[in-house]
Amino acid sequence: MTGSTAVHRALDCVDEERAAVEKRDAAFEAFARRVREVPAKSPAAARSQQAVAATPAVATTVQTGRSATTDDRCVTIREAFAETVRPHSIADCETDESLTETIAAELSEDIAVALASETGWTPPLKRAVLETVETRRTEVDVVQQTLRNERETLEDALDEIDEILAWLQSMADESLLQRDFETLRENHDRLATYRDRLETLTADRQAQFTRSTNRYGPGGTRYRTLVESVYSDCSVRYPLLSSATRLYGICGDCQRTVRAHLTRRV
């Protein structure tokens, strides 16, 4: 019976999510590194370059298919984003999303518009991109810590669940008719203890759902929201609660059966 509950399967979901989040963090880190390598120009210098590029003598040297006033540095940043962050941003998207839309979703609409327009790769824009990436990495760090907490919660719950399942299995291997009154009474008391422990486990889990994922104080995402996202592809929405509730019912059924045997022997 052990090793086959929804909680056991939930561990795999958490591990898969942790791997995906780690890749996302690495993608943002790689993107930030490439952003730092691209020098920014002051707005005045950028406008001067655009004016020169617009003259007939220089316009002939502009690559076909690209506006003469487009800042190549912005193109470089967009390409860097497409090669690093975007694959991890649209992995679960069911519809096609343009690069500009993805940049807007991850960095902000203002940054997306600036990178796609004639604004130029200016120091303020570069700072804005790096600051936003840092914010996203902080959010990723919070998610990583929450997933670590979730795995610890599952492991602690499994210690309880596996112990109860193992005892129920040993109990099922021997007929109750072969047990004396004192043994049956001990079995009844143990089942009552297990039910109490499962009630505590359920109450603790429900309380955990009301907490925020923000370690720095109020706000942030509710723990429940993150858990629902992690287990969205599982057969049950709340694996731990599902397993605990089901096991609580099994213990109750067993307890009633033992009680019936005790009553007949009084």
Side-chain angles (χ1 to χ4, degrees), residues 66-104:
R66 179 177 298 173
S67 170
T69 56
T70 299
D71 189 338
D72 285 349
R73 291 173 175 79
C74 287
V75 174
T76 299
I77 298 302
R78 285 167 57 84
E79 291 174 348
F81 181 91
E83 294 168 3
T84 56
V85 177
R86 191 167 193 261
H88 303 281
S89 180
I90 63 172
D92 299 326
C93 289
E94 297 180 357
T95 58
D96 292 334
E97 183 177 86
S98 70
L99 177 59
T100 298
E101 289 174 327
T102 308
I103 294 175

Side-chain angles (χ1 to χ4, degrees), residues 25-54:
D25 184 51
F28 272 117
E29 181 181 18
F31 176 59
R33 186 167 56 249
R34 291 174 64 171
V35 168
R36 293 189 191 96
E37 293 173 351
V38 180
K41 287 187 177 181
S42 66
R47 285 193 298 270
S48 175
Q49 182 186 44
Q50 290 170 3
V52 171

Side-chain angles (χ1 to χ4, degrees), residues 163-174:
E163 177 188 337
I164 296 172
L165 286 174
W167 187 83
L168 288 173
Q169 183 64 59
S170 67
M171 191 177 176
D173 292 338
E174 182 182 346

Side-chain angles (χ1 to χ4, degrees), residues 235-255:
S235 57
V236 292
R237 193 174 186 183
Y238 303 110
L240 198 161
L241 287 178
S242 175
S243 294
T245 301
R246 182 169 178 269
L247 194 52
Y248 181 87
I250 293 174
C251 287
D253 292 340
C254 291
Q255 195 177 30

Side-chain angles (χ1 to χ4, degrees), residues 40-44 111 114 119-132:
K41 287 187 177 181
S42 66
I111 289 176
T119 303
W121 183 237
T122 62
L125 179 55
K126 182 174 183 177
R127 282 195 301 272
V129 170
L130 290 174
E131 288 172 359
T132 304

